[in-house]
Amino acid sequence: MLLLIGLATAAASIVTVVLMLNNPPVSLPRLCAVLVLAFGSSATVVYCYGWLSVILGGPFPERCEDRNASGAELVGMVEEDWPLRSACVYSDGATVEHLSMSINVLVRLLAGLALVLVCAGAVLHRRTPSVPEGPLGNS
């Protein structure tokens, strides 16, 4: 469910960014806020995809073999939620990963970009002078 909500939020925020850029003037703090929403929801989507892959046994159709190429027996499977990891562990210490590191890197990159934009938006918001609205405030 979170995966679907994240997809909808990411798509809506990307459309909002495009509309904001097509209709100037653009308020930079508001643009940062919408970009935070886009990157944050994208990180959520990628993490949910990876978590679902771990729960279902990895994104690849193959399962753990009873013995690896060197003949070592399967000891067990390791599944971790963070960092996302699904691996077959053999008695000789070898592991076969079923989830690439790229998902973890992508989640951290998107979440890091969202965090940087939160900080930038806060700084820009503090620097932007507040203009009172109304008929007397614009004169």
Side-chain angles (χ1 to χ4, degrees), residues 3 45-55 59 84-85 99 103:
L3 179 68
V45 166
V46 172
Y47 179 79
C48 287
Y49 164 76
W51 180 80
L52 190 62
S53 296
V54 167
I55 296 300
L84 289 170
R85 181 174 178 232
L99 189 64
I103 289 184

Side-chain angles (χ1 to χ4, degrees), residues 12-80:
S13 57
I14 289 170
V15 169
T16 304
V17 166
V18 169
L19 291 175
M20 287 177 77
L21 293 176
N22 285 338
N23 298 316
V26 177
S27 169
L28 289 179
R30 288 184 182 164
L31 181 64
C32 285
V34 175
L35 286 173
V36 165
L37 191 61
F39 286 127
S41 58
S42 297
T44 303
V45 166
V46 172
Y47 179 79
C48 287
Y49 164 76
W51 180 80
L52 190 62
S53 296
V54 167
I55 296 300
L56 297 177
F60 307 108
E62 67 265 2
R63 294 285 186 188
C64 296
E65 300 291 328
D66 292 335
R67 293 188 179 275
N68 67 3
S70 64
E73 285 188 27
L74 177 68
V75 175
M77 280 191 66
V78 175
E79 293 180 357
E80 297 176 4

Side-chain angles (χ1 to χ4, degrees), residues 60-139:
F60 307 108
E62 67 265 2
R63 294 285 186 188
C64 296
E65 300 291 328
D66 292 335
R67 293 188 179 275
N68 67 3
S70 64
E73 285 188 27
L74 177 68
V75 175
M77 280 191 66
V78 175
E79 293 180 357
E80 297 176 4
D81 289 335
W82 189 259
L84 289 170
R85 181 174 178 232
S86 179
C88 304
V89 181
Y90 293 95
S91 60
D92 64 353
T95 59
V96 177
E97 296 284 333
H98 286 289
L99 189 64
S100 66
M101 196 63 190
S102 62
I103 289 184
N104 285 323
V105 170
L106 189 57
V107 168
R108 291 176 186 192
L109 178 69
L110 290 169
L113 284 171
L115 183 63
V116 166
L117 284 169
V118 164
C119 295
V123 167
L124 288 172
H125 181 71
R126 294 189 101 170
R127 288 184 172 204
T128 305
S130 60
V131 178
E133 295 185 21
L136 299 176
N138 294 334
S139 52

